[in-house]
Structure formats: structure tokens, C-alpha cells
Amino acid sequence: NAGVMQNPRHLVRRRGQEARLRCSPMKGHSHVYWYRQLPEEGLKFMVYLQKENIIDESGMPKERFSAEFPKEGPSILRIQQVVRGDSAAYFCASSQLQAGGEQYFGPGTRLTVT
Amino acid sequence: EDKVVQSPLSLVVHEGDTVTLNCSYEVTNFRSLLWYKQEKKAPTFLFMLTSSGIEKKSGRLSSILDKKELFSILNITATQTGDSAVYLCAVEAGNAGNMLTFGGGTRLMVKP
């Protein structure tokens, strides 16, 4: 009974490179959420996706960030031309229901930009 | 803008003590309130509350929601060192699915 899986767990990128973070939801879950936790700050919502659809991206920075959840395969959060301020823990969560369902979190990807 | 505030920011107690963590919220179209425990990794789900006045219990942990006064409390009795963690409160609200708005967390340290 695998939980939410994320990889890589740790990612180091130089400024200007691209970062790709992957998330596989729990079995039976079709709703995926991405959250960012900056050092010493709380979790902040970024984007909510269902298969092949972005439902709510109100928390995503307008530039350099994109997310997808294709019909096959994991959800991907892509950060282009990373900057030091992108260094954070990125958590993915999944739920079974669109509303009123518990969200279960993955172990996170810790991104460090050097 | 939706807002979730937790207090205290941090707490140091000794094993065996009872603690109460607070969470207040101001959101539009409230759906549910969730508590998570975070120990340097993924937040672990504890409780989801949707109705006022109904206590949820799991072992030494319990939680209750007051939708009139817009707050929830998380109680931990007979604390153990393994309870040391950051406890996060999150509220599900709005119309476009269940994105969570998190509070800043309460950092609990239980000393032996």
C-alpha cells in the first residue's frame, strides 16, 4: 500500500538550470496538489491538478514555474532558470475526493540552488 | 484572503504533561479543518474536522472544532518525547477544489 511517492528526494541545481520534480499519487487518488515550504515558513499551496487538467494554479509564480499531470505517469513540477530563492522543500499531496477528502503528503523534494 | 493562525508558535513541556494547541481561521466557504504532524519530513495526517462540537480521538490525541468561533484545538495528553514535532493546522475552503491553507505551525518539544 504505497503512499505518495516523490523523487528525487534531494536535488541540487545551479542558478539558471531547470529542476523537475516528480510525484506519483496514492493508488486510487486522482487529485494532486503541490505545496512549497520555504525555510522557516509554513506550507503554501501552489497548484491543484487532475489528470490532464490544471484546476487551480493560483499559488504558482507567474513565470518559470509549470505543472502537469499527464494521462500516464507522474505529475511533474518544472522550474525553469532556477534562482536561489527557489530553494525550498516541495511537497506533493494527493486525495481521492475533489472536496472534503484528506490529503496525504509525500516525503517532499528538497531543492537547493547553488 | 484566507488566513489560518496557530498558537503558540512553540512550546516546551516535560514528558507526561498535557498540551493544547490552538488554531483559528478566517476563510471563505469553509469545508474542513485538518491537523498534521511534521517531523522533518512529510506532514502526517492526524484528523479532519467538519462539524462543530464533535471530538475526534486517536490514542492520546484529540481535537475539536468550533465553527461559530472559528477555531480548533488539538490536545495531547501524557506527552512523550516522540510527540516532539511541528503540528500544522490547515483549512480547506473555497470553490475550486480542496486546496489547503496552512497555519505557521506550533513547534512542540517534549523533554524527558
Side-chain angles (χ1 to χ4, degrees):
Chain A
N1 186 18
V4 179
M5 299 175 69
Q6 290 187 248
N7 68 79
R9 297 290 305 276
H10 300 275
L11 183 61
V12 179
R13 285 285 178 266
R14 290 202 184 99
R15 275 179 299 172
Q17 290 184 318
E18 179 178 284
R20 282 195 183 204
L21 289 62
R22 294 175 187 77
C23 167
S24 296
M26 280 180 74
K27 190 175 180 181
H29 287 192
S30 57
H31 304 270
V32 166
Y33 307 80
W34 285 93
Y35 294 85
R36 177 165 65 173
Q37 189 170 37
L38 293 168
E40 304 303 320
E41 290 190 20
L43 283 151
K44 294 282 194 295
F45 167 79
M46 298 181 76
V47 62
Y48 161 41
L49 309 108
Q50 294 178 27
K51 287 281 186 184
E52 300 185 281
N53 279 309
I54 296 174
I55 308 301
D56 183 349
E57 56 182 346
S58 57
M60 287 273 271
K62 294 286 185 280
E63 296 175 351
R64 303 186 297 109
F65 285 72
S66 63
E68 62 178 11
F69 189 13
K71 191 175 178 182
E72 302 290 338
S75 175
I76 295 175
L77 179 68
R78 184 184 291 111
I79 311 172
Q80 296 177 300
Q81 299 176 314
V82 296
V83 301
R84 288 236 173 92
D86 297 332
S87 296
Y90 291 82
F91 289 97
C92 168
S94 73
S95 71
Q96 193 173 29
L97 303 175
Q98 178 172 359
E102 302 97 356
Q103 290 186 23
Y104 294 90
F105 282 78
T109 293
R110 189 162 296 279
L111 172 66
T112 302
V113 179
T114 62
Chain B
E1 186 181 329
D2 294 346
K3 192 162 65 170
V4 179
V5 178
Q6 290 185 247
S7 63
L9 288 180
S10 63
L11 196 53
V12 181
V13 301
H14 287 95
E15 273 192 317
D17 289 349
T18 293
V19 297
T20 298
L21 310 183
N22 304 293
C23 175
S24 63
Y25 60 90
E26 290 178 34
V27 301
T28 305
N29 295 327
F30 173 90
R31 293 217 190 100
S32 63
L33 185 144
L34 297 90
W35 284 97
Y36 289 86
K37 178 183 181 183
Q38 187 175 26
E39 303 169 88
K40 290 188 178 179
K41 49 183 180 179
T44 305
F45 173 78
L46 295 175
F47 297 112
M48 186 174 80
L49 303 146
T50 55
S51 303
S52 278
I54 298 174
E55 186 183 49
K56 294 250 178 138
K57 277 184 76 82
S58 176
R60 296 176 294 102
L61 277 67
S62 63
S63 183
I64 197 160
L65 173 68
D66 186 329
K67 288 168 75 173
K68 185 179 175 187
E69 300 297 330
L70 308 183
F71 78 91
S72 172
I73 59 171
L74 175 68
N75 278 320
I76 309 174
T77 58
T79 51
Q80 302 171 357
T81 55
D83 295 327
S84 297
V86 175
Y87 289 84
L88 299 170
C89 171
V91 172
E92 179 200 352
N95 297 317
N98 55 339
M99 57 169 272
L100 297 178
T101 299
F102 280 85
T106 293
R107 185 176 296 276
L108 173 66
M109 179 181 292
V110 181
K111 292 188 170 181

